[in-house]
Amino acid sequence: VEDTISHHLAHAAARTPDEKAFTTVDFSTDRDGVTDCLTWRRLEERVRTLAAVLRHNCAAGERVAVIGPQNMDYVVAFLAATCAGAIAVPLFPPALPGHGEKLAAALADADPVLALTSPDSVQAAEKFCADQPGLRLRVTTEADLLAGWAARGEPTGGEIPHPGPEDCAYLQYTSGSTRMPSGV
């Protein structure tokens, strides 16, 4: 199947491995912003690693929530979920002021089997997810994947699975500005 995200990611990594794929700018700690870049090769490696772990931990078609700040880990988590054949549910960090009820409603509606977060959001996510029955939380950095998940005998790499173009890739929720968020 050549019309999927996983195929295009692998193709870009093979064709232009050292070209920048994504750049994020974080203004939370520095007024001028701190940039983080990933080349196509590094992006594909990180996505492939996480996708393999996700494939092992949840069946294709299951929902996987991405709850954290919109940084490089968020991009990797979203792409890995779709490449693993899971349904990515992009949400926002639990620490976002005034949005806890909206996040809880979206998680209850989506009923994900797993939530992914980045290291800078893990404490808030752990606290928030403790009130979400049956929701497992994982940190998305490569170091955490390799050290933590591999230590438990879970796979850490391999080929990216290629879901079909007709498979559902993600479940997007409305902002909830006028009512509780709705999946679309």
Side-chain angles (χ1 to χ4, degrees):
V1 179
E2 295 187 9
D3 287 332
T4 63
I5 291 173
S6 56
H7 170 79
H8 288 290
L9 180 59
H11 181 70
R15 195 181 81 238
T16 55
D18 298 321
E19 229 176 74
K20 287 181 185 176
F22 280 97
T23 300
T24 60
V25 183
D26 180 4
F27 292 97
S28 66
T29 58
D30 186 325
R31 184 171 191 233
D32 295 326
V34 176
T35 59
D36 185 15
C37 298
L38 279 181
T39 64
W40 284 109
R41 176 185 304 142
R42 287 294 298 139
L43 177 65
E44 195 264 344
E45 288 170 354
R46 288 186 62 190
V47 167
R48 180 174 15 92
T49 298
L50 182 54
V53 174
L54 290 174
R55 179 65 96 177
H56 180 73
N57 281 274
C58 56
E62 295 286 346
R63 287 156 312 283
V64 174
V66 181
I67 57 171
Q70 294 180 359
N71 57 21
M72 204 59 76
D73 292 326
Y74 194 94
V75 171
V76 170
F78 178 85
L79 290 172
T82 61
C83 288
I87 299 170
V89 184
L91 294 167
F92 41 86
L96 192 62
H99 286 77
E101 186 179 356
K102 293 176 184 181
L103 180 57
L107 287 170
D109 184 64
D111 192 27
V113 296
L114 190 64
L116 301 173
T117 194
S118 60
D120 48 353
S121 202
V122 73
Q123 288 180 333
E126 283 175 341
K127 183 178 178 185
F128 188 86
C129 289
D131 295 330
Q132 309 300 315
L135 182 60
R136 296 177 296 146
L137 180 68
R138 296 288 190 256
V139 180
T140 59
T141 66
E142 192 168 23
D144 289 313
L145 288 172
L146 295 174
W149 297 13
R152 293 189 297 273
E154 298 173 12
T156 56
E159 289 297 311
I160 291 181
H162 292 287
E166 69 285 346
D167 294 340
C168 181
Y170 66 98
L171 173 58
Q172 181 69 52
Y173 277 81
T174 61
S175 66
S177 59
T178 59
R179 60 187 171 100
M180 281 299 160
S182 299
V184 292

